[in-house]
């Protein structure tokens, strides 16, 4: 958008164009005047246009004149000194800084919200993937349970071997075999024959 003086100059040029066109149209479509003593018989009358060009150009010229007055009134007056203009510019710069700070805060809030939305979308996508393949989830759970049971069985087996080796070392005496009850060695192992 142009400054006020350029707008005023453009509007004045447009007004001059309206004047020029109105004179040309009126001259083209006006009826010739008759002078006494110089009448020609059989002179064809020019075709009258149906439109009222006089009213049209009068409206255009009046509207353009109002625009010119409005632009002239909006120009700065001589009363506005340089100090007032500097103060006005300082006030505008302060408002600009405040608006910039508000914009930065809104951007920070937007980025935080975007991160939360992206995390929620990732959770939703993972949930949808888990729901689409429930057999794989069940297999994973079963494998975890089987691994836990296998580890427990291995620990139990190691306990039994340790208890049996201790029983073998402590029970054998004089080359005779003794029968221990399971409750004496380990109640969970059952009876051990030696």
């Amino acid at each position: 958008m142009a400054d006020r003086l350029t707008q005023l100059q453009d509007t004045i040029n447009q007004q001059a164009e309206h004047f020029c066109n109105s004179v040309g149209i009126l001259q083209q479509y006006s009826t010739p005047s008759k002078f006494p003593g110089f009448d020609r018989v059989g002179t064809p009358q020019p075709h009258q246009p149906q439109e009222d060009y006089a009213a049209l150009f009068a409206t255009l010229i009046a509207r353009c004149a109002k625009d010119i007055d409005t632009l002239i009134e909006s120009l700065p007056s001589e009363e506005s000194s340089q100090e007032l203009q500097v103060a006005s510019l300082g006030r505008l710069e302060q408002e600009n800084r405040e608006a910039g700070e508000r914009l930065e805060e809104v951007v920070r809030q937007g980025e935080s919200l975007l991160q939360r939305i992206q995390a929620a979308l990732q959770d939703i996508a993972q949930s949808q993937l888990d729901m689409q393949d429930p057999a794989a989830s069940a297999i994973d759970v079963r494998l975890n349970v089987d691994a836990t049971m296998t580890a427990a069985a291995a620990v139990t087996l190691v306990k039994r071997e340790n208890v049996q080796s201790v029983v073998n070392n402590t029970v054998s005496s004089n080359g005779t075999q003794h029968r221990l009850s399971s409750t004496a060695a380990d109640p969970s192992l059952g009876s051990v024959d030696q």
Side-chain angles (χ1 to χ4, degrees):
M1 182 162 184
D3 62 318
R4 300 283 178 183
L5 286 176
T6 305
Q7 289 177 346
L8 181 62
Q9 183 62 48
D10 291 341
T11 309
I12 290 172
N13 289 341
Q14 188 178 16
Q15 183 76 309
E17 186 178 314
H18 289 322
F19 280 130
C20 182
N21 288 338
S22 66
V23 169
I25 290 290
L26 292 175
Q27 188 179 31
Q28 181 180 358
Y29 290 109
S30 65
T31 58
S33 299
K34 295 183 180 182
F35 292 105
F38 291 106
D39 285 338
R40 287 188 177 175
V41 180
T43 305
Q45 292 291 332
H47 174 61
Q48 279 288 6
Q50 299 294 332
E51 300 173 18
D52 189 12
Y53 287 113
L56 174 67
F57 279 106
T59 305
L60 290 174
I61 289 169
R63 187 179 306 146
C64 198
K66 286 180 185 177
D67 291 344
I68 289 172
D69 288 340
T70 304
L71 286 170
I72 288 173
E73 289 173 3
S74 70
L75 290 174
S77 65
E78 294 176 4
E79 296 171 0
S80 66
S81 64
Q82 189 169 358
E83 292 84 19
L84 290 174
Q85 291 177 0
V86 168
S88 174
L89 286 176
R91 188 174 59 252
L92 289 174
E93 286 177 8
Q94 178 63 27
E95 290 174 4
N96 190 18
R97 269 189 246 113
E98 291 172 359
E101 291 171 1
R102 286 193 305 265
L103 178 63
E104 288 175 1
E105 179 61 29
V106 168
V107 168
R108 278 193 295 272
Q109 291 174 355
E111 288 174 349
S112 171
L113 182 61
L114 178 64
Q115 289 175 353
R116 289 185 5 218
I117 289 172
Q118 286 175 344
L121 287 174
Q122 287 176 350
D123 290 345
I124 290 170
Q126 186 62 41
S127 297
Q128 286 178 343
L129 287 174
D130 292 344
M131 290 175 66
Q132 286 178 356
D133 196 7
S137 299
I139 290 171
D140 289 343
V141 169
R142 197 173 309 124
L143 289 175
N144 288 338
V145 169
D146 290 343
T148 306
M149 291 174 68
T150 305
V155 168
T156 305
L157 183 61
V158 168
K159 276 184 172 180
R160 283 185 182 177
E161 289 177 358
N162 287 341
V163 168
Q164 251 183 346
S165 67
V166 168
V167 168
N168 288 337
N169 290 337
T170 58
V171 173
S172 36
S173 62
N174 303 357
T176 59
Q177 293 184 353
H178 300 281
R179 186 176 189 104
L180 294 175
S181 73
S182 62
T183 56
D186 188 1
S188 65
L189 296 177
S191 62
V192 177
D193 290 332
Q194 296 292 328

